[in-house]
Amino acid sequence: MYKNDKEHIESLLRHAHLNIGDVDSLKVYNGLTDQSIKKDNVVMEFLEYMSKPENFWFTCKYLLNVDLLPFQLCILEELWNRKFPMLIATRGAGKTWILALYALLRAFFMQGSKIIVIGAAFRQSKLLFEYMETFYKNSPIFRNMVGGSRGQGPKRDIDRCTFYVGSSEIIAIPLGDGSKIRGLRANYIIADEEIFEVVIKGFGAVSANPAEKVKEIAQIQKLKELGMYNEADEIEREMGFGNQTIIAGTAYYAFNHFYDYFVRQRDIVLSRG
């Protein structure tokens, strides 16, 4: 290929922001075209491919009509795989935007989930909800899959905003003094750090299906007793890691309260448990 070939130059320009040089010289594995993988149910195989965080660029591009940058993909993958992630970023880094995108992906691929988004004031939680509405409006495919019937899509009430995605539910609420939202339970919690210690910790004390979880844990233990570790690992992967709480904020000064969270979390990471 000639280096001044128009198509080649267009390719270089299209991928220049990745800073990885000439992509035409790279060998990239494409799981969608791998003929060695047996596909009993093509639709389910395709959905499974899209649900993996390493494929989220493809998922967000063609499902939600969103282009993601590499650092945003890294954030999504960490949020997806970590039970207690902390999102620390400067102001204007797009924390709210990426959390809104993450909430929709969780709701879509983990059907039956209950996700609660909490802000100190209703304005904060509504801002995240408005991003979700924007994704919904700008993606014909996602909007068609979710539908716009009475029990689906974004809905607004006086004291909360709710987004229904199949059997999943995302609720955006203000904290206030905490008296009106005590007793709420969720599988996934997205919270501003400033209000986390007040009442939010207890929100995640619930399982989506407690009886089923007990059975699965017992099956894992039995399989390990029988020496069937691969089968046990498969069940564990399907179970996921359980409930999740995400705290987001900006550690802008050493005396800022979120900086204390950052230092504590960093020490935990560096201690390796």
Side-chain angles (χ1 to χ4, degrees):
M1 177 180 291
Y2 295 103
K3 290 301 180 182
N4 60 350
D5 180 86
K6 184 178 179 181
E7 186 177 340
H8 182 65
I9 293 174
E10 288 177 353
S11 176
L12 289 173
L13 294 176
R14 189 164 58 250
H15 300 101
H17 68 286
L18 298 176
N19 197 29
I20 57 176
D22 189 353
V23 297
D24 291 340
S25 63
L26 300 177
K27 292 183 179 180
V28 181
Y29 170 74
N30 186 348
L32 291 175
T33 60
D34 190 341
Q35 300 297 318
S36 66
I37 301 176
K38 185 179 180 181
K39 297 179 174 62
D40 296 324
N41 187 320
V42 177
V43 175
M44 295 307 297
E45 290 283 348
F46 186 56
L47 285 174
E48 183 181 357
Y49 177 89
M50 294 179 71
S51 69
K52 294 178 179 178
E54 60 265 31
N55 301 324
F56 275 173
W57 185 90
F58 176 90
T59 303
C60 293
K61 173 68 175 178
Y62 295 103
L63 177 65
L64 294 169
N65 198 26
V66 173
D67 263 317
L68 293 178
L69 295 171
F71 86 93
Q72 294 171 321
L73 291 168
C74 291
I75 292 174
L76 279 179
E77 185 166 355
E78 288 299 299
L79 294 178
W80 196 267
N81 292 325
R82 307 296 178 183
K83 191 167 185 177
F84 297 108
M86 182 181 295
L87 178 54
I88 304 173
T90 182
R91 297 190 185 280
K95 295 188 296 292
T96 304
W97 187 90
I98 201 74
L99 289 172
L101 180 63
Y102 170 77
L104 282 183
L105 289 171
R106 269 291 178 195
F108 184 80
F109 289 114
M110 307 296 288
Q111 283 295 293
S113 298
K114 188 170 184 180
I115 302 167
I116 290 182
V117 178
I118 307 166
F122 203 10
R123 179 186 60 82
Q124 291 171 279
S125 49
K126 278 200 297 187
L127 180 59
L128 195 146
F129 185 83
E130 286 168 1
Y131 277 126
M132 289 191 287
E133 281 186 318
T134 301
F135 292 136
Y136 179 77
K137 293 174 182 176
N138 292 343
S139 174
I141 295 176
F142 183 72
R143 190 168 64 248
N144 182 265
M145 293 178 74
V146 172
S149 62
R150 186 174 182 180
Q152 290 296 304
K155 313 293 178 186
R156 288 176 179 260
D157 293 315
I158 297 175
D159 60 345
R160 69 174 58 190
C161 298
T162 309
F163 202 121
Y164 299 96
V165 183
S167 60
S168 296
E169 184 180 8
I170 306 171
I171 303 173
I173 53 175
L175 177 68
D177 60 4
S179 61
K180 295 183 179 180
I181 61 174
R182 290 185 186 275
L184 277 177
R185 294 294 179 264
N187 309 116
Y188 303 95
I189 303 164
I190 300 175
D192 183 343
E193 176 273 333
E194 295 181 16
I195 61 175
F196 178 70
E197 297 289 352
V198 183
V199 293
I200 297 172
K201 278 185 176 179
F203 282 18
V206 65
S207 172
N209 193 330
E212 191 63 30
K213 192 148 193 169
V214 170
K215 293 177 183 178
E216 289 172 338
I217 292 173
Q219 290 170 5
I220 291 170
Q221 292 174 342
K222 179 57 66 177
L223 286 169
K224 288 182 177 180
E225 290 174 8
L226 296 172
M228 302 172 68
Y229 295 101
N230 290 335
E231 290 80 356
D233 290 342
E234 183 64 28
I235 295 177
E236 285 186 323
R237 281 194 295 271
E238 291 178 358
M239 284 178 62
F241 50 65
N243 295 343
Q244 181 189 52
T245 300
I246 301 173
I247 311 173
T250 303
Y252 45 88
Y253 288 112
F255 58 79
N256 170 250
H257 43 265
F258 197 45
Y259 184 79
D260 294 334
Y261 268 75
F262 160 70
V263 172
R264 184 168 62 189
Q265 189 79 351
R266 182 187 59 187
D267 291 343
I268 292 172
V269 172
L270 293 177
S271 73
R272 298 173 182 249

